[in-house]
Amino acid sequence: MADTVWWKSGTVYQVYPRSFQDSDGDGIGDLRGITRRLDYLAWLGVDAVWISPFYPSPMADFGYDVADYCGVDPLFGTLEDFDALVAEAHFRRLKVILDFVPNHTSIAHPWFVDSRASRTSPKRNWYIWRDPAPDGGPPNNWISNFGGPAWSRDAATGQYYYHAFLREQPDLNWRNPEVRAAMHDVLRFWLDRGVDGFRVDVIWHLMKDEGFRDNPANPGFTSGQAEINRFTQVYSADRPEIFDVIAEMRAVLAPYGDRVLIGEIYLPVERLVAYYGADLAGVDLPFNFQLIQTPWNARSVAELVVAYEDALPPGGWPNWVLGNHDQPRIAARVGAAQASIAAMLLLTLRGTPTLYYGDEIGLAHVPIPPDRVQDPWERNEPGHGRDPERTPMQWDDSPNAGFSVGEPWLPLSADAVARNVELQCDDARSLLTLYRRLLRLRRDYTALSTGGFRSLPSSNAFVFAYERHDADTTLRILLNFSASPQTVSDTGAYGGAWTVLLSTHTDRASSLHANDLVLEANEGLMLIRGWS
């Protein structure tokens, strides 16, 4: 893999800093806490740590409302703490990826304070200001992703400003060259401090329709869906001009060597892959969330994987995401028994996988009492809150699971004493051990990390079977998506030619003697051709 760029062969691990490790006892995780746990990440076997926002912020959206792009909020530490984190990560051969939030700032950012001061402010055009509609209401029908209108009226100047998310998060005007230049300087600031790349928040939102036309009604909208789905966002997001913006970001990163540019993009496959750009001049990895949104059964997942592989542009490198800070936990979606299948799927498909902290120990849905709710989306639209997937990491069976000596900002899971890193790291049958073994196999076999992919036909509707291969090795993966044993008989002979390399069921024998293979309930199996 010496000639393979690191972000193709490696794995990414997302840390939500508020919830990973608290070092000062205030119940909120911080940068020093992350540094303390870098040995764990190295032991686990990941290659890069992606850190969600830690910038100075009023915390209306927990750091995604940025008041200073070139600093660290005191809640999380100092710039010196960040520099130490990068140095310690690099010492352990771990890359550091930052969350870059260019679509919007906080209303407390000096740029916006200046912008809203008057209609003639030099920073007025740094944000999106519009006159009211003829009836005095919002300029168009665009809706906030967190519910309600995406426009807020400023009484002092009589105009509305646009915010795709909270009213405390006004959108920047990326049609303004001064905005682009300022944000490019932000990228350089962090690149000069040694970061290895950026995950760009809501990148498909950066450019808006120049005429601010109304979005069309969504004919598929049903009650119970988030309000943002009432309209199809054809004018408020995913505009063709976005590719010029991405090209300029890439130009900023280019002098720094093998830095990665990842785009957060919640779009269908055919639009998602467009973000690789013409001649792969777009983002390196348009985040692929399709597994999160696809029904959890073998046929649906297999069809998705093949469709995604077929849609990739020549040379486009795939990637897969099964969990993050905005989506319900893997174990909450697929169930505890299928969490091991999810792990094997994520870490054996072709492409770069991204893991979310806590999924490796099977953290599931954590109920949040009404008086402990933190997420502003939950307050705006009950039932859509993201707090359950942001609860603290559970390290051991000590008070507060080793996360903090103070009361954690969100509650722990009820089974924290039994579900934690310390307990699982010594258990050969644990989910954590499975993750670690899978990550080790990705390093041992280039067939898994950078090899080819071939879907295998199967008449068993409960089993997804595929191969990973390179010039030296062929691996076969079979995943039973059901809670009952399943026989696989039509993907080739197994007796003698194949040996078990890994099973999610640790009591599986290593040798095979029959042409028909029986997968146990909820079993994932990795076979190697001719190995013994």
PDB file of all heavy atoms in Angstrom, residues 447-458:
ATOM      1  N   ALA A 447      -6.390  -6.823  -0.211  1.00  0.00           N
ATOM      2  CA  ALA A 447      -7.650  -7.167  -0.872  1.00  0.00           C
ATOM      3  C   ALA A 447      -8.824  -6.486  -0.178  1.00  0.00           C
ATOM      4  O   ALA A 447      -9.808  -6.106  -0.827  1.00  0.00           O
ATOM      5  CB  ALA A 447      -7.844  -8.681  -0.866  1.00  0.00           C
ATOM      6  N   LEU A 448      -8.724  -6.305   1.149  1.00  0.00           N
ATOM      7  CA  LEU A 448      -9.794  -5.650   1.901  1.00  0.00           C
ATOM      8  C   LEU A 448      -9.699  -4.129   1.851  1.00  0.00           C
ATOM      9  O   LEU A 448     -10.708  -3.436   1.761  1.00  0.00           O
ATOM     10  CB  LEU A 448      -9.767  -6.092   3.364  1.00  0.00           C
ATOM     11  CG  LEU A 448     -10.476  -7.389   3.739  1.00  0.00           C
ATOM     12  CD1 LEU A 448     -10.340  -7.623   5.236  1.00  0.00           C
ATOM     13  CD2 LEU A 448     -11.939  -7.367   3.335  1.00  0.00           C
ATOM     14  N   SER A 449      -8.493  -3.594   1.937  1.00  0.00           N
ATOM     15  CA  SER A 449      -8.346  -2.145   2.041  1.00  0.00           C
ATOM     16  C   SER A 449      -8.444  -1.447   0.696  1.00  0.00           C
ATOM     17  O   SER A 449      -9.112  -0.419   0.572  1.00  0.00           O
ATOM     18  CB  SER A 449      -7.023  -1.794   2.714  1.00  0.00           C
ATOM     19  OG  SER A 449      -5.934  -2.328   1.988  1.00  0.00           O
ATOM     20  N   THR A 450      -7.799  -1.995  -0.327  1.00  0.00           N
ATOM     21  CA  THR A 450      -7.777  -1.311  -1.629  1.00  0.00           C
ATOM     22  C   THR A 450      -8.106  -2.231  -2.795  1.00  0.00           C
ATOM     23  O   THR A 450      -8.012  -1.823  -3.952  1.00  0.00           O
ATOM     24  CB  THR A 450      -6.396  -0.677  -1.882  1.00  0.00           C
ATOM     25  OG1 THR A 450      -5.383  -1.691  -1.829  1.00  0.00           O
ATOM     26  CG2 THR A 450      -6.094   0.398  -0.848  1.00  0.00           C
ATOM     27  N   GLY A 451      -8.482  -3.478  -2.509  1.00  0.00           N
ATOM     28  CA  GLY A 451      -8.752  -4.437  -3.574  1.00  0.00           C
ATOM     29  C   GLY A 451     -10.072  -4.210  -4.282  1.00  0.00           C
ATOM     30  O   GLY A 451     -10.829  -3.292  -3.984  1.00  0.00           O
ATOM     31  N   GLY A 452     -10.344  -5.082  -5.242  1.00  0.00           N
ATOM     32  CA  GLY A 452     -11.566  -4.990  -6.024  1.00  0.00           C
ATOM     33  C   GLY A 452     -12.762  -5.592  -5.305  1.00  0.00           C
ATOM     34  O   GLY A 452     -12.636  -6.227  -4.249  1.00  0.00           O
ATOM     35  N   PHE A 453     -13.937  -5.391  -5.902  1.00  0.00           N
ATOM     36  CA  PHE A 453     -15.199  -5.863  -5.325  1.00  0.00           C
ATOM     37  C   PHE A 453     -15.986  -6.596  -6.403  1.00  0.00           C
ATOM     38  O   PHE A 453     -16.035  -6.171  -7.553  1.00  0.00           O
ATOM     39  CB  PHE A 453     -16.017  -4.685  -4.797  1.00  0.00           C
ATOM     40  CG  PHE A 453     -17.448  -5.017  -4.463  1.00  0.00           C
ATOM     41  CD1 PHE A 453     -17.780  -5.507  -3.212  1.00  0.00           C
ATOM     42  CD2 PHE A 453     -18.458  -4.869  -5.410  1.00  0.00           C
ATOM     43  CE1 PHE A 453     -19.094  -5.836  -2.902  1.00  0.00           C
ATOM     44  CE2 PHE A 453     -19.780  -5.184  -5.110  1.00  0.00           C
ATOM     45  CZ  PHE A 453     -20.091  -5.678  -3.853  1.00  0.00           C
ATOM     46  N   ARG A 454     -16.615  -7.708  -6.004  1.00  0.00           N
ATOM     47  CA  ARG A 454     -17.521  -8.416  -6.907  1.00  0.00           C
ATOM     48  C   ARG A 454     -18.694  -8.952  -6.105  1.00  0.00           C
ATOM     49  O   ARG A 454     -18.502  -9.694  -5.138  1.00  0.00           O
ATOM     50  CB  ARG A 454     -16.805  -9.569  -7.614  1.00  0.00           C
ATOM     51  CG  ARG A 454     -17.698 -10.312  -8.624  1.00  0.00           C
ATOM     52  CD  ARG A 454     -16.874 -11.219  -9.509  1.00  0.00           C
ATOM     53  NE  ARG A 454     -16.448 -12.420  -8.816  1.00  0.00           N
ATOM     54  CZ  ARG A 454     -17.105 -13.589  -8.880  1.00  0.00           C
ATOM     55  NH1 ARG A 454     -18.225 -13.694  -9.587  1.00  0.00           N
ATOM     56  NH2 ARG A 454     -16.641 -14.646  -8.233  1.00  0.00           N
ATOM     57  N   SER A 455     -19.893  -8.547  -6.486  1.00  0.00           N
ATOM     58  CA  SER A 455     -21.088  -9.079  -5.838  1.00  0.00           C
ATOM     59  C   SER A 455     -21.345 -10.489  -6.342  1.00  0.00           C
ATOM     60  O   SER A 455     -21.178 -10.774  -7.539  1.00  0.00           O
ATOM     61  CB  SER A 455     -22.292  -8.177  -6.135  1.00  0.00           C
ATOM     62  OG  SER A 455     -23.461  -8.691  -5.531  1.00  0.00           O
ATOM     63  N   LEU A 456     -21.725 -11.400  -5.443  1.00  0.00           N
ATOM     64  CA  LEU A 456     -21.987 -12.785  -5.815  1.00  0.00           C
ATOM     65  C   LEU A 456     -23.482 -13.035  -5.876  1.00  0.00           C
ATOM     66  O   LEU A 456     -24.231 -12.589  -5.000  1.00  0.00           O
ATOM     67  CB  LEU A 456     -21.362 -13.735  -4.791  1.00  0.00           C
ATOM     68  CG  LEU A 456     -19.834 -13.660  -4.662  1.00  0.00           C
ATOM     69  CD1 LEU A 456     -19.369 -14.549  -3.517  1.00  0.00           C
ATOM     70  CD2 LEU A 456     -19.156 -14.059  -5.959  1.00  0.00           C
ATOM     71  N   PRO A 457     -23.946 -13.741  -6.892  1.00  0.00           N
ATOM     72  CA  PRO A 457     -25.377 -14.051  -6.970  1.00  0.00           C
ATOM     73  C   PRO A 457     -25.782 -14.999  -5.851  1.00  0.00           C
ATOM     74  O   PRO A 457     -25.015 -15.861  -5.436  1.00  0.00           O
ATOM     75  CB  PRO A 457     -25.516 -14.710  -8.347  1.00  0.00           C
ATOM     76  CG  PRO A 457     -24.155 -15.287  -8.622  1.00  0.00           C
ATOM     77  CD  PRO A 457     -23.181 -14.329  -8.000  1.00  0.00           C
ATOM     78  N   SER A 458     -26.984 -14.807  -5.355  1.00  0.00           N
ATOM     79  CA  SER A 458     -27.480 -15.682  -4.300  1.00  0.00           C
ATOM     80  C   SER A 458     -28.994 -15.773  -4.392  1.00  0.00           C
ATOM     81  O   SER A 458     -29.680 -14.762  -4.521  1.00  0.00           O
ATOM     82  CB  SER A 458     -27.088 -15.154  -2.916  1.00  0.00           C
ATOM     83  OG  SER A 458     -27.665 -15.952  -1.899  1.00  0.00           O
TER      84      SER A 458
END
